[in-house]
Each structure stands twice: as C-alpha cells, then as structure tokens.
Amino acid sequence: MEALPLSQDPMMMNWEQILQETEKRTSRASGAGGQHVNKTESRVEIVFNVTTSEALSARQKRHLRHHLGRRIDSQGRISVVDQSDRSQHVNNKRALARLRKLLEKGIRPIPKKHKGKAFVANKKKRLDRKKRRSEIKAGRGKKWG
C-alpha cells in the first residue's frame, strides 16, 4: 500500500500552520508569588479555533468534535492555560505542548459502534419458555378420553 502525503494522512496535522492560527493571550498569574506575580504576565492562554482552521481536514475536525466535544466552546475554540511557572516563556512551551497532545489525541478515528448480542443462557431460557407455552396451547384443543 502506498503511503499518503502528509497533507492527506488523517492522523497527521500541519503543526506549523496550526501554530500560525493560534492566538496567545498573557495575563498575571494567580496564587502565591508576592510582588513578582503581581507585576509580570506569566500566565499564558493558547486559543485555537477548530471550526475555522485551514490546517485541519473536515475529517479531523469531525474527530475533534467527537472526542473533545466538552473542551470546545460554542464558537468552536479550544483553550489551554498554563501558569505553573514564573516564566512566561516556560508556560508558553507547556501550553503549546498540551495543545499539541490534546489535538493529537482528538484526531484519532472515531471507534465503530457494534451491536452486542444476547447471552447464550438468555436465548436458551427464552426458547424453553416458548416451548412450554406452545405445549400448553397445543394441549388445549385435544379432547381427552
């Protein structure tokens, strides 16, 4: 089987284009840290719009909506926040890594639904009941003696 080009492979993302489509927001982080946390914008929020993205195929968008439906807001955006470090640069790297991991997890194929079968014991019980019932009904029409 011939390998598909990266642009057509359903499991591959154009990460460079996704990075261009992301929006980076910074703000002051919450929590302890004293004066440092009060004056530096070390909290990083990365926002990526799945709906309007040109880096993803229609199939990838469908898979993302299926797997990450709760993470996607009403405008079709995924938001990742990191404020764990004092450095904005480190928080930015961590947020981008989390976004990439999230998107890679989200574009995996949607599992096929399969209908379960009845248990063998239940089938046997049902057939036994039908047999007994048919014997009862068959015995009604006969005259004795």
Side-chain angles (χ1 to χ4, degrees):
M1 187 167 126
E2 199 174 312
L4 292 171
L6 288 179
S7 60
Q8 294 177 352
D9 187 1
M11 292 304 290
M12 295 300 291
M13 296 182 297
N14 186 348
W15 184 243
E16 288 76 28
Q17 191 173 357
I18 288 173
L19 283 176
Q20 290 174 358
E21 293 178 0
T22 59
E23 178 186 340
K24 176 183 164 186
R25 300 176 189 160
T26 59
S27 62
R28 291 193 294 259
S30 64
Q35 187 177 4
H36 175 79
V37 84
N38 293 335
K39 50 188 250 193
T40 59
E41 295 198 350
S42 59
R43 178 182 182 268
V44 175
E45 180 179 12
I46 305 288
V47 180
F48 176 67
N49 195 325
V50 174
T51 310
T52 61
S53 175
E54 294 177 10
L56 301 171
S57 67
R59 176 187 284 177
Q60 288 173 331
K61 290 177 186 180
R62 191 172 57 248
H63 290 186
L64 283 169
R65 279 192 299 273
H66 175 81
H67 292 297
L68 305 177
R70 292 173 180 227
R71 290 289 310 252
I72 299 173
D73 68 5
S74 59
Q75 283 85 35
R77 298 176 305 202
I78 293 178
S79 175
V80 178
V81 178
D82 197 297
Q83 60 180 9
S84 59
D85 199 84
R86 289 169 57 102
S87 164
Q88 184 187 109
H89 180 71
V90 172
N91 288 340
N92 188 44
K93 273 186 164 180
R94 284 185 183 167
L96 286 172
R98 280 184 46 213
L99 177 67
R100 185 173 192 155
K101 194 174 183 180
L102 199 62
L103 292 176
E104 285 172 352
K105 178 183 160 194
I107 63 168
R108 71 186 190 279
I110 299 170
K112 290 185 170 74
K113 293 182 181 178
H114 53 86
K115 187 179 173 187
K117 293 183 179 179
F119 293 110
V120 175
N122 290 348
K123 186 175 179 182
K124 189 174 182 328
K125 268 199 241 178
R126 183 179 60 83
L127 293 175
D128 287 345
R129 271 185 293 197
K130 280 182 72 163
K131 191 173 184 180
R132 277 196 306 260
R133 190 77 186 147
S134 74
E135 287 170 358
I136 290 169
K137 288 185 173 186
R140 287 182 183 157
K142 294 182 181 173
K143 293 189 178 183
W144 300 97

